[in-house]
Structure formats: structure tokens, C-alpha cells
Amino acid sequence: MADGPPKDLDSSTLARPVEGEIGAREDPLTKAVLQIDIKKYPAFAKFNSLGEGSAIRAMNSLQAAISMGYLNVGRVKRILDFGAGRGGPTFALARVAEVIGADVEAIEISDGVAKYIVTSGILSADKVHIGDGVDFLSKIRQGKEYDLITGFMFG
């Protein structure tokens, strides 16, 4: 990876809500994401209560941002879960990515925790990066930027 600053957030990814606007919610892709119920996926049952809770909170947050018009999922192709932890939110992001045709990657500083994301089947090893997230982001080269970067469980 070449050194260089990450690209600024593109305003086309974050939509500005317009009062009374319902067009975005009528989009088939948006509708599909809003209907995701992560509790119905067999892999969800493998989480402990903390993992379940973090996955549910992440999905609720994503669906709220989409429903309120702050996130245009049609423009999201690359997603990074920053500080992925044991993968609850990463699991939710992966379900959204399946629906919208996007890729999800994760960055986690703890080697053991990052390996759990792989061994539990949330993401493949090539999609999980181990290391300092800020350093990782600072080295993204042009053309390899992310459309959505999340950080769900930072307190």
C-alpha cells in the first residue's frame, strides 16, 4: 500500500434528507436492506449475547440511517468496519453487503480477535486486516478508498 491520505467522504454516499421525501425508501435495494432480519441467519445463533447485541445495534443503526435518508446504499461498494472487535457489527455489515453487492473488510488491532472473525466465518482472511486502524487508513492509495467506514462499538 502506498502512503497517502484517504479521500474525503463523497457527499453522494451520504444523502441529505429532504422533508417528506419517500423516493429513497421506494428503491428496491433500499427496501431490501430495510427488510434484513439478521436474527434469521443461522450464523447469528453462534454469537454470545454481547455479539448478538452488537450485531442488532449495528443493523438498527444502518437501517435507521438508510430510512432517514442519510445513507444511500446504492452508492456503497466498499465498506470498512473500523475496530471490528469480535465481529457482531461486521456480521451485520456483511449481510447488508450481500444485498447491495458490496465488499466488506475489517480492521482490528487484536490478532486473536481478528482471527475470530475469520474462524467464525464472518469474513474471509483476505478481508480482515490486523493492525492500527488509523495507520491503515492513512496508507490507503487513490482508487482504493472506502465508500463507508463504520465504527460501532467505541462506547
Side-chain angles (χ1 to χ4, degrees), residues 79-96:
I79 303 169
L80 178 69
D81 190 15
F82 184 95
R86 293 187 55 88
T90 310
F91 177 79
L93 287 165
R95 303 300 64 84
V96 170

Side-chain angles (χ1 to χ4, degrees), residues 14-75:
L14 291 177
R16 294 193 181 19
V18 177
E19 192 169 326
E21 181 183 59
I22 60 169
R25 283 182 237 134
E26 293 173 355
D27 170 62
L29 202 55
T30 298
K31 276 184 172 180
V33 173
L34 293 175
Q35 292 174 1
I36 294 172
D37 181 358
I38 60 172
K39 295 176 193 174
K40 292 183 178 179
Y41 288 82
F44 180 81
K46 296 179 183 178
F47 283 112
N48 62 20
S49 61
L50 180 61
E52 287 179 356
S54 64
I56 291 167
R57 281 190 301 277
M59 183 58 75
N60 289 344
S61 295
L62 288 165
Q63 289 173 329
I66 293 163
S67 180
M68 294 178 0
Y70 288 107
L71 179 59
N72 181 342
V73 292
R75 297 186 183 260

